Amino acid sequence: MATASVTSSTAGRLLGTVRLPLSIFAFLALALGVLGIDQFVNAMTLGAIYALVALGYTMVYGIIELINFAHGDVFMVGSFVAMFISSSLLGNEGSITNVPLLGVSVLVLFALTIGVMALLGALIERLAYRPLRRAPKLAPLITAIGVSFILQNLIQFFFGPTIVTVPQLVPIEWSIQISGSRVPLLNLFVIASSVILMVALQLFISRTRTGRAMRTTSMDRDASSLMGVNINRTIMITFLIGSGLAGAAGVVHGLYYGNTNYSLGFQSGLKAFTAAVLGGIGNTAGAALGGFLIAFVEVGASAFGYGRWGGAVVFSLLVIFLVFRPTGLLGSHTGDRA
Amino acid sequence: MKVFNKKGLSALAAVAILAAACGGSTASTAGKTLTIGISFPLNGASLASAGPARDGALLAIKEASIEGYTLKAKVLDHAKDGAHNPDQAAADMLTFVGQEDVVAVVGPFNSASARAQIPVSSEAGLLQCSPSNTNPTLTKGADGEALRGGRAVNYVRVATTDDLQGPAVAVYAKENGAKKIYILDSTDAYGKGVADAFETQFKADGGTVVGRQGLPTGTTDFSAAATAAKAAGADSIFYGGVTSDGAPLFRNALAQAGIGALPFYGADGIYDGTTEGSYIATAGANAENSYASQAAIENIPGKDDFNVKFKAEYGKDAEGYAFAGYACAQIIVEGIKAAVAGGDVTRETVRAAVVDKGTVFETVLGSVSFDAVGDTTQRIISLYKVEGGAWKFVKEINYGN
Amino acid sequence: MSRISTALSAPFAPVRAYFRKHRSFGIFVGVALLSIALPLLTRVPPFDGIQSTNAWVNAFTTAAIYAMLAMGLNVVIGFAGLLDLGYAAFFALGGYTYAFVASPFTGVHLPFWPMLLAGGVVGAIFGVLLGAPTLRLRGDYLAIVTLGFGEIVPITLMNADKFTDGVNGIGGIDKPSIPGILQFTLTNPWPMYGLVIALFALIMIMIYRLQDSRIGRTWDAIREDELAAESSGVNIVIAKLQAFAVGASIAGIVGVVNAAKITIVTPDQFRFAVSISVLAAVVLGGMGNTIGVATGAFVIYLFQSILLKQLNTLVENFNIPVLNQIDFLEFQYVLYGIVLVLMMLKRPQGIFPARRRMREFAPLKIGKRGAK
């Protein structure tokens, strides 16, 4: 009796661990078959950007249960900071064909943008959210909306309301051939840098002391505080990381699309937020999955000529999905509050 | 890359002019005050396109002088959250209606705002002149009749309607050898309308539409649509929409998909000069081999003169709808003068003078007169091509009266 | 906390006592007095310098429309504790309902007054349709579902152009009339003002009665402790659905009025920004307090659409040096954002917090501080 239950639970656990990778693999294979390699690469690239933005949403939600409406705009500001650093500070004008120079430029760009945006995120947290930690739940939601207005309009004031071009450092001509299709290296670069950042984040959360503090804080803030976790510091680090990732997404957005504009944050923020919920809000791996899933839906709609319904399809999917699986793809890490 | 653009300065300049116009009674000889209202969306993304129209109108009002009267301008902004807001547009029109010395209004900029404003202005018999509305249903047919509520025409416009622009580009594309076209539109009134008109004409001339879809304003990722166009085997592309909807982004995505050399057609939504944020500036080298149209004549008679005046006033080149905004204010001023000559300046006499079918107005856009529903009889579409990083005039198609 | 308001109202204690007993009558009198006082106020400086009385009355009408939306959303958020981020969708459905039956687009011209009810019914039906499958979701998952619904509705209205005329929207919508007595016009804002004020008072009275009824107490119970309420025999799903339906039907009714007022409906009028500004009004006004959210919405609308827009004129009128060099139009949304943040930091419970809520928050605060 006892052994049987142990075996079955081991089997169950084994099945549990394989099920997710298996279903992801099956989904990707299906998508590749339906969309073809070109659109598949488009979807993966778009998904990589959504995923980076969604991570910030989900981390902040996980730890202070705030729908951070300003996060989409933090991403937007990130794209402008990246543009400013790249074109004004580093003096880039177009693509760089010298590989070592390109590598250094891109690394410097990432490092500076992530740094600036992490500081901005922490600043916003300190000024607009921390004073409201014990306030009614909707109060910080409204300050987040206020911050979103401020960021959007300040950027509009300094950079104008029009589309602004960003130097595309990685030459768009570089490509490799995969089964007869031309796949630009730029897309692979976007996907790779996003995946590297996501893996680094997972390692940070699961392996480091601070990561553990973040997890315990999101489970039970008071108990963590009693166990010696510095709550304010932990929340601030969460914002540093989340906004830093949004900054990285801003860099990637600029390199991939070659432009940005002040209203970028709204739509992207909405999509990323949806991705976070779809994945199970508070769950970082789920947010990444949700980002890719939404990208596949959007690209799929557009590939088959239904682009004008793209938004409606994404949100209908969300509603239907949540009706049948109320805690999202991977389930939420946070307990429900009454 | 400029961090601080000139927009702030020009806005200051506009305010200064407004202040001058409002406080001008000390300078000019006293007389009865007449005010011309200006109603545009003037913040957020709308400012870039509607701002020049406002500047043009303000300039014309500043220049005009009418014996025995003081002419003023009053600007109201109906943009909310960065976009034009019909509810606010109607409220602003009511403000103008309520201010007795307002005899006519320049505006609005967007068709949706016009739909909200025309019923109000029509009820009050207040003349309005739009520099940019091109949606046919605002004036023509049952829709136009419903908006006016069966009253006399009080709304005129100097831009030719979309039902001519789309077909003109389609004819031109056909001449250039387009056979298989891929159409993308911005899903809004203007973009979808012009794309529909293009599609109808292109098909009628024996062309094939290999794909058609819409991606709304705010879309940043056009890669899937570009790949779809490539997969469909298109030999030309048409984009219905304006630059800020994403026309250059689509063009860049086509280039990234490897079909950036295909001819790219658009209407006046992408014919927006070469300044920062314009189609050409944003698409860069990819803009070559793009085509666009404009619902106005190319060889504007007073273009150079106007440019000099405009630059002296605002420190920047006249672009986009500056000409049309100026022309609208000119027409209104002419209407007021005619009413003065008739001995009685009221809203009704100004309205009647402008909508009169026989009158020809000499404006910066050339000779303009209006038909029975208030549309301009100058039905000329000009066609352009990008060459060497600038728009080059190709030819014009005259649809006559 | 409410020291100022207490001090202000001290001399009116007997009046207050009377109106506390006869609340519906009190609301009626209060709204009537205010609706007369406001237009009079616009004839006094500095308000008379901003715009004409007619334009002010029109602005008050729109502000009251927003205030009704805020009261409706407050039923969902403030009473039942369900976060709804797509409230504008129901507003849109009401507007389109009226547009379908009273415009040249369909050629049907039904009278306005019964359509007020129809708008409410349509709102309620969609509220239940959306609510029934999703209300078992908790907290913020419900928020995102409503947000999604709020996006789906305008996208559908925009793309189903055979039925809705797409982005052009439906124009030339019939204005209300009382046959033989009064035809509403667009240039005379007073009849619409009267209609909206009357509806405002009716909705407020209805909401207060609901709040005191069995349903209202059920909502209180659910909001405070869902589990406890359920174990005391409250049918949670039904109660939540009722809140959703009431909120949605108010939005539907207001949608009909709004469509008749501006005579055009377009999908763009009902985007996310509308839901968000109504939500901001509810939270700033003080969730759970009907008069508070109504006042909050009214003031915020006027602040946003009149004051911010008129800052230039005001500054010029007073000729304040330095300030008159700035174009405030450029900064209006930065200012709006700063005001939102500062208001929340100063008064996280809203300007006029609900009394019951104030009591709820007070001990909570002390307890948590002690734990720290």
Side-chain angles (χ1 to χ4, degrees), chain A residues 38-39 42 46 83-84 149 156 158 160-163 165 168 172 182 186 256-257 259 262 264 299 302 305-308, chain B residues 1 3-5 7 44-45 48 81 185 187 192 213-215 220-221 223-225 227-228 243 249 256 277 281-282:
Chain A
D38 287 338
Q39 297 286 25
N42 286 341
L46 180 61
M83 180 276 291
F84 185 71
F149 270 120
Q156 191 206 326
F158 286 122
T162 54
I163 300 170
T165 50
Q168 289 186 292
I172 60 170
R182 174 185 161 277
L186 177 57
Y256 180 47
Y257 295 112
N259 66 73
Y262 85 102
L264 170 70
V299 167
S302 197
Y306 294 99
R308 64 182 88 237
Chain B
M1 184 51 58
V3 184
F4 297 91
N5 63 6
K7 196 163 59 72
D81 302 321
D185 70 65
T187 76
K192 187 167 181 302
Q213 72 170 321
L215 289 172
T220 49
D221 187 273
S223 62
T227 303
T243 297
L249 310 192
Q256 260 165 325
T282 314

Side-chain angles (χ1 to χ4, degrees), chain C residues 166-236:
Chain C
V167 272
N168 286 334
I170 301 177
I173 297 172
D174 298 348
K175 296 172 279 284
S177 67
I178 304 171
I181 303 173
L182 180 65
Q183 171 62 48
F184 284 47
T185 64
L186 288 168
T187 42
N188 178 6
W190 292 92
M192 189 49 89
Y193 180 62
L195 163 65
V196 166
I197 291 299
L199 195 63
F200 179 90
L202 275 178
I203 286 179
M204 191 180 257
I205 290 168
M206 187 195 86
I207 288 177
Y208 268 111
R209 299 209 147 199
L210 261 181
Q211 198 183 0
D212 291 341
S213 73
R214 196 186 162 79
I215 299 178
R217 279 171 294 152
T218 313
W219 290 335
D220 281 346
I222 293 178
R223 192 186 64 231
E224 296 315 325
D225 193 332
E226 215 173 300
L227 273 178
E230 193 163 23
S231 38
S232 318
V234 171
N235 187 335
I236 304 242

Side-chain angles (χ1 to χ4, degrees), chain B residues 185-262:
Chain B
D185 70 65
S186 65
T187 76
D188 69 5
Y190 165 75
K192 187 167 181 302
V194 78
D196 284 345
F198 176 92
E199 183 175 355
T200 311
Q201 182 71 39
F202 194 76
K203 277 180 178 162
D205 293 347
T208 316
V209 175
V210 293
R212 163 97 197 250
Q213 72 170 321
L215 289 172
T217 308
T219 301
T220 49
D221 187 273
F222 288 81
S223 62
T227 303
K230 186 185 181 187
D235 63 12
S236 309
I237 310 291
F238 180 83
Y239 183 80
V242 303
T243 297
S244 60
D245 290 335
L249 310 192
F250 183 42
R251 184 59 169 168
N252 289 342
L254 288 168
Q256 260 165 325
I259 50 170
L262 296 187

Side-chain angles (χ1 to χ4, degrees), chain C:
Chain C
M1 212 159 279
S2 53
R3 216 177 306 137
I4 302 168
S5 61
T6 331
L8 276 177
S9 59
F12 301 108
V15 185
R16 281 174 69 104
Y18 175 81
F19 282 132
R20 196 163 297 149
K21 259 189 203 154
H22 308 270
R23 180 146 63 183
S24 299
F25 183 62
I27 291 171
F28 185 74
V29 172
V31 171
L33 285 179
L34 258 180
S35 70
I36 296 168
L38 279 176
L40 288 178
L41 200 62
T42 66
R43 299 203 169 252
V44 196
F47 303 107
D48 62 342
I50 293 176
Q51 53 185 8
S52 68
T53 300
N54 271 5
W56 269 113
V57 167
N58 182 56
F60 292 147
T61 313
T62 314
I65 284 176
Y66 263 85
M68 288 190 277
L69 286 179
M71 287 195 290
L73 184 61
N74 183 44
V75 170
V76 184
I77 297 184
F79 292 176
L82 307 166
L83 180 52
D84 184 346
L85 293 177
Y87 195 59
F90 302 110
F91 186 39
L93 289 167
Y96 270 85
T97 302
Y98 183 57
F100 281 135
V101 298
S103 73
F105 178 68
T106 49
V108 185
H109 296 277
L110 297 184
F112 170 78
W113 307 100
M115 290 317 295
L116 272 180
L117 266 184
V121 172
V122 168
I125 290 173
F126 275 92
V128 172
L129 279 181
L130 174 69
T134 57
L135 280 175
R136 70 191 177 97
L137 297 173
R138 286 193 155 187
D140 296 314
Y141 286 98
L142 180 68
I144 182 80
V145 166
T146 52
L147 190 156
F149 182 68
E151 286 290 295
I152 293 169
V153 167
I155 294 176
T156 308
L157 291 173
M158 181 174 282
N159 290 319
D161 41 5
K162 281 204 181 64
F163 309 101
T164 60
D165 209 4
V167 272
N168 286 334
I170 301 177
I173 297 172
D174 298 348
K175 296 172 279 284
S177 67
I178 304 171
I181 303 173
L182 180 65
Q183 171 62 48
F184 284 47
T185 64
L186 288 168
T187 42
N188 178 6
W190 292 92
M192 189 49 89
Y193 180 62
L195 163 65
V196 166
I197 291 299
L199 195 63
F200 179 90
L202 275 178
I203 286 179
M204 191 180 257
I205 290 168
M206 187 195 86
I207 288 177
Y208 268 111
R209 299 209 147 199
L210 261 181
Q211 198 183 0
D212 291 341
S213 73
R214 196 186 162 79
I215 299 178
R217 279 171 294 152
T218 313
W219 290 335
D220 281 346
I222 293 178
R223 192 186 64 231
E224 296 315 325
D225 193 332
E226 215 173 300
L227 273 178
E230 193 163 23
S231 38
S232 318
V234 171
N235 187 335
I236 304 242
V237 173
I238 296 285
K240 283 183 173 178
L241 268 184
Q242 283 167 334
F244 230 64
V246 168
S249 66
I250 291 176
I253 294 171
V254 177
V256 171
V257 176
N258 189 58
K261 176 179 177 285
I262 55 181
T263 71
I264 173 169
V265 286
T266 66
D268 282 336
Q269 288 166 314
F270 308 103
R271 295 319 283 259
F272 185 57
V274 177
S275 300
I276 283 298
S277 56
V278 177
L279 174 69
V282 168
V283 178
L284 279 181
M287 265 195 306
N289 180 0
T290 304
I291 290 194
V293 299
T295 316
F298 199 86
V299 171
I300 288 167
Y301 176 80
L302 292 179
F303 172 78
Q304 206 192 343
S305 352
I306 312 290
L307 190 69
L308 282 182
K309 274 183 76 172
Q310 297 288 341
L311 268 178
N312 282 331
T313 327
L314 276 181
V315 169
E316 264 170 39
N317 282 355
F318 291 112
N319 207 9
I320 305 164
V322 188
L323 279 186
N324 58 12
Q325 298 295 307
I326 303 171
D327 185 0
F328 284 95
L329 277 185
E330 296 265 343
F331 289 106
Q332 55 177 327
Y333 286 99
V334 178
L335 284 176
Y336 182 55
I338 291 172
V339 167
L340 281 186
V341 173
L342 289 183
M343 289 290 286
M344 278 295 108
L345 293 182
K346 284 278 161 216
R347 281 187 84 101
Q349 69 281 69
I351 312 171
F352 313 100
R355 229 164 258 207
R356 189 190 299 240
R357 290 232 156 179
M358 261 156 63
R359 284 203 299 272
E360 283 160 17
F361 286 123
L364 191 80
K365 245 182 179 168
I366 296 162
K368 294 259 166 150
R369 279 215 184 111
K372 209 175 167 190

